Amino acid sequence: MLCPHVLIAALLAISVLAQNVDPLQKYTISAPGINATFIPYGARLTNLYVNDKNGNPQDVALGYDNAADYLRDDQTVHTYFGPVVGRYANRIKNGTFTVQGTTSRIPKNDNMGNDTLHGGNIGYDQRNWTVVSANTTSVTFSLLDQAFEGFPGNVITYATYTVSAGPTWTSRLVSIPLDEPTPIMLANHVYWNLGAFVDAEGSTILNHTLQMPYAARYIEIDNIEVPTGAIGTVHGTPYDFTSPKQIGRDILSATNGCGYNCTGYDNAFILDRPRYSAPEATDLSMLTLRSESTGIRLDIYTNQQSLQIYTCDNTDGTIPVKASQQHGRSRTYVEKYGCVVIETQQWIDGVNHPEWGQDEYQIYTVDSPPAVVFARYDFSVSS
């Protein structure tokens, strides 16, 4: 059995050999009714096509036509269009946590230096991942995290994306700590618009119907979106999506729940699976999203215990949609509420809230099972 130092050296050698791979090269995988494109930079989804109610393929993921624009984005507005975020997705209070008596301090890159967002200054979204394998229906990337951004220890992560008839996109993120105990919480950060900008209604997600049947609770946050430790219930609030509801129905009532002076959703919903299921079971759809404009429906199955929902409350009409989403118009831009991000993950900042009992799902060691984020995206169409 290889000792950790030898294993790290071997993995690093593989990474060095792969550095000649263009991080912006596009890899397209396809199956009946679906095709998706990825780039190694951030192990990032750039396009995902499925058929609408008229049988026309629609690109339902936001991003850029020119892959180099992702680099420019990261140096300016930093939207996190389509990548894996980590080593720890979402926010860490004060950029600080303690694991087994050792305190780590991560760069505070959010809210004017008050907290850490998506792994620090240079998270997994800005790393050049190695292409491990690619064929017509699947692509696998890997990343050797050598204590990036001050996180403890070295971690190897594999991101495998597969498409299949259904149509279905499956994402599997597997992370293995190589030496020290560390928090790990990854997520895919895809911006969705199932309306694909086909018409005026399809230009926002306000008319999308959303249901999260097992999300009766959510994590309460302060005015910079850091958890307070309190757990709220959605009943009787704008955050109740346990029954199907258009996103726009109550969105103007969701004020300051997504940060100071914010109107919209940017919240972590807790997934309480029913008693006949299990905490990490993938047998039930945790979320259903549907567009009236295209008839495209998305069901998400995941082993994670939370969904972060962000309704693009801060987009301001300055980012153009891709050519595949212009539909013959001269120029269309992503306006406020023009998209929705759905992050399958564990409870945000759980590393700083041991009272939540999240340690077994967020703290990993050389002796523990790997950290696995499984998410299956099933697409269908209704007239």
Side-chain angles (χ1 to χ4, degrees), residues 346-377:
Q346 303 294 353
W347 296 22
I348 66 172
D349 199 33
V351 66
N352 282 317
H353 290 279
E355 73 275 15
W356 290 346
Q358 275 276 302
D359 281 6
E360 67 174 305
Y361 305 109
Q362 299 201 16
I363 308 300
Y364 293 88
T365 70
V366 292
D367 300 317
S368 71
V372 178
V373 181
F374 172 87
R376 193 179 85 228
Y377 303 82

Side-chain angles (χ1 to χ4, degrees), residues 76-287:
T76 53
V77 291
H78 205 172
T79 56
Y80 299 93
F81 273 147
V84 173
V85 290
R87 178 188 302 191
Y88 195 90
N90 222 302
R91 289 174 172 84
I92 300 174
K93 184 177 182 178
N94 297 323
T96 304
F97 57 83
T98 300
V99 174
Q100 296 188 9
T102 299
T103 298
S104 297
R105 293 173 174 83
I106 312 304
K108 293 182 284 188
N109 62 320
D110 189 42
N111 290 307
M112 296 182 292
N114 283 295
D115 61 90
T116 298
L117 177 64
H118 295 326
N121 291 328
I122 305 177
Y124 284 14
D125 63 298
Q126 295 182 76
R127 303 288 176 174
N128 296 332
W129 293 55
T130 298
V131 180
V132 175
S133 174
N135 56 46
T136 58
T137 60
S138 183
V139 60
T140 296
F141 302 99
S142 70
L143 179 69
L144 178 58
D145 174 352
Q146 297 178 281
F148 295 158
E149 299 297 286
F151 281 92
N154 300 279
V155 174
I156 182 74
T157 294
Y158 297 91
T160 297
Y161 304 132
T162 304
V163 292
S164 56
T168 295
W169 170 42
T170 301
S171 169
R172 289 169 289 175
L173 310 177
V174 180
S175 301
I176 304 169
L178 302 177
D179 36 40
E180 299 180 35
T182 180
I184 301 173
M185 188 171 82
L186 307 188
N188 296 111
H189 203 275
V190 179
Y191 285 69
W192 301 100
N193 184 321
L194 301 186
F197 303 91
V198 298
D199 54 22
E201 286 191 351
S203 294
T204 74
I205 46 80
L206 296 177
N207 290 310
H208 281 40
T209 299
L210 173 64
Q211 182 182 16
M212 295 181 287
Y214 307 108
R217 299 188 296 159
Y218 69 102
I219 296 173
E220 295 188 8
I221 54 176
D222 62 18
N223 62 6
I224 60 170
E225 300 188 75
V226 172
T228 64
I231 304 299
T233 57
V234 303
H235 180 70
T237 75
Y239 307 98
D240 190 352
F241 289 94
T242 53
S243 297
K245 181 178 74 174
Q246 285 193 328
I247 292 175
R249 195 186 82 176
D250 297 326
I251 198 168
L252 296 181
S253 299
T255 56
N256 297 320
C258 51
Y260 176 72
N261 202 27
C262 171
T263 299
Y265 299 105
D266 193 3
N267 305 95
F269 293 84
I270 295 169
L271 300 175
D272 293 310
R273 291 166 173 83
R275 55 185 287 185
Y276 54 81
S277 186
E280 297 180 284
T282 60
D283 56 330
L284 299 170
S285 172
M286 293 292 108
L287 177 146

